[in-house]
Amino acid sequence: MFINFLNKVESLNDMLFGGFDAFIESLPIQEYVADAICDSVHLIPFLFIIFLLIEIFENYFSHKLKNISSYSKKFGPLIGSVLAGLPQCGFSVVATPLYINKVITRGTLIAIYISTSDEAIPILLSHPEQFNVILPLLLIKICLGMFAGYLVDLIYPQGGLRMSEEIHNHTENEDDLDDVGCCSHHIHVTQHRKRELFFHPLKHTFNIFAMILVISLGLNYCFDAFGNDLLNKILLNNTIFQPIISSFIGLIPNCAVSVLLTMLYISGVLSFASVIAGLSSGAGLGLIVLLKRNSDIKDSLKIIGILLAVSIIAGLAIMLFN
């Protein structure tokens, strides 16, 4: 039903932007520039609807995430990977202070980092021809996050976890659980901000639209000037090194990276194995929070190393068996 709804939105888009497309194409600009502008503008209604739904999900589930400490040791990686698999951009930011405050285990944090996809799912949803990729991508990342999370907790068992009630009873800890996510909006574990339910999706839509436009212009220029050959050579397409490169790219803590990886996949430059690898290492702004707020730098580097290793191995395995 949701897919049918998005298809109807796409048809409505064609009607709404027909005049705009004709105007852009009449301007004295390169064809690849006109295509990038038209394609990017067409995504705005899709993105706003999707980000509005995501904001509702994120507000609800981020609020529930603080209770994960009640069963963090046994079910943390399972619950964390499933929740993080929902299209959103804030769970990694929410989860990181929870780990630093010993509310969740290292394995649960790894599971959340791996499962989260930042902007990948909204962008894939805005391209109807990619609908068949969304479910496999989500399932692989959730299962990978779950498996890696339990394995990490088995190898590095942690004791002395705090209970969520203990965290809730200390206001200074509640302040620690409030952090800044994308678009500089605050992500709260302990309370909702209803005014952000509309304004943040609106701001986020135009921020992602700007990223998509810039990336589209760059990709279209490369395709127009060099064909696919240049990017294929740079990203070592059809080699075992591409998932490795994608995994390192994914570590860059910015949601623009997930936009880039997803659009490279849609353009046919990245393989499915490589986009899985890149999106699995891409924990978004969570890594910034980890490096900024975790006083144990060795622990932070260990988490990043685990994240990178799991992503590379997963990408190579998918490439081998695909």
Side-chain angles (χ1 to χ4, degrees):
M1 186 173 66
F2 181 62
I3 300 300
N4 290 333
F5 173 71
L6 291 179
N7 282 325
K8 290 179 179 179
V9 173
E10 184 188 23
S11 299
L12 183 60
N13 264 5
D14 293 336
M15 295 174 56
L16 289 176
F17 293 111
F20 174 81
D21 292 350
F23 170 73
I24 295 296
E25 291 169 0
S26 68
L27 296 176
I29 56 178
Q30 293 289 334
E31 184 179 352
Y32 74 85
V33 176
D35 289 342
I37 294 173
C38 292
D39 291 344
S40 301
V41 169
H42 280 217
L43 296 181
I44 291 176
F46 274 107
L47 292 174
F48 177 72
I49 292 170
I50 293 168
F51 287 140
L52 183 61
L53 294 174
I54 287 173
E55 188 72 18
I56 296 171
F57 275 118
E58 186 176 336
N59 269 267
Y60 177 78
F61 285 109
S62 294
H63 180 68
K64 298 297 181 183
L65 194 60
K66 69 185 179 67
N67 297 317
I68 201 172
S69 63
S70 303
Y71 28 74
S72 181
K73 286 186 177 180
K74 290 184 178 179
F75 303 110
L78 169 63
I79 297 171
S81 59
V82 171
L83 288 181
L86 295 170
Q88 42 68 44
C89 60
F91 282 177
S92 66
V93 175
V94 171
T96 305
L98 292 176
Y99 168 72
I100 294 171
N101 283 281
K102 297 184 178 181
V103 180
I104 60 176
T105 65
R106 183 185 288 118
T108 301
L109 182 68
I110 291 291
I112 291 171
Y113 278 179
I114 291 173
S115 296
T116 191
S117 301
D118 257 3
E119 316 305 335
I121 302 304
I123 292 175
L124 289 172
L125 282 170
S126 64
H127 289 78
E129 73 278 5
Q130 299 294 333
F131 286 166
N132 62 321
V133 175
I134 296 173
L135 186 58
L137 186 146
L138 283 174
L139 289 177
I140 289 172
K141 282 172 56 64
I142 289 172
C143 292
L144 180 62
M146 197 184 309
F147 174 79
Y150 279 115
L151 184 61
V152 167
D153 279 348
L154 182 64
I155 297 173
Y156 303 106
Q158 289 177 273
L161 291 180
R162 297 180 184 179
M163 299 300 291
S164 59
E165 291 82 3
E166 180 184 348
I167 296 293
H168 182 73
N169 289 332
H170 292 81
T171 56
E172 66 273 18
N173 285 339
E174 289 187 3
D175 291 337
D176 287 342
L177 298 180
D178 174 22
D179 225 304
V180 177
C182 63
C183 309
S184 301
H185 81 296
H186 286 270
I187 298 175
H188 296 262
V189 178
T190 54
Q191 60 178 319
H192 301 298
R193 286 192 174 182
K194 293 182 178 180
R195 65 179 180 271
E196 291 186 347
L197 284 177
F198 178 81
F199 290 109
H200 176 241
L202 186 63
K203 183 178 180 181
H204 196 48
T205 295
F206 283 98
N207 283 346
I208 298 303
F209 158 73
M211 292 179 194
I212 291 173
L213 178 59
V214 171
I215 293 172
S216 294
L217 286 169
L219 292 178
N220 285 3
Y221 171 76
C222 289
F223 293 146
D224 184 69
F226 310 103
N228 289 7
D229 293 341
L230 179 63
L231 288 176
N232 285 334
K233 288 179 180 178
I234 292 174
L235 295 173
L236 301 177
N237 199 10
N238 297 320
T239 72
I240 62 171
F241 298 105
Q242 192 182 72
I244 299 174
I245 294 172
S246 296
S247 297
F248 277 97
I249 293 174
L251 284 179
I252 300 171
N254 192 299
C255 57
V257 173
S258 63
V259 176
L260 174 63
L261 290 170
T262 307
M263 293 185 67
L264 286 171
Y265 170 72
I266 292 172
S267 300
V269 178
L270 281 188
S271 66
F272 182 71
S274 297
V275 79
I276 288 288
L279 292 176
S280 295
S281 64
L285 297 178
L287 291 181
I288 290 182
V289 179
L290 180 70
L291 292 171
K292 181 176 70 174
R293 300 179 64 164
N294 190 3
S295 58
D296 189 346
I297 186 63
K298 290 183 179 180
D299 179 52
S300 297
L301 293 177
K302 183 183 293 184
I303 290 171
I304 294 172
I306 293 171
L307 188 63
L308 182 63
V310 170
S311 301
I312 291 173
I313 292 171
L316 293 176
I318 294 171
M319 173 174 279
L320 180 64
F321 292 105
N322 192 6

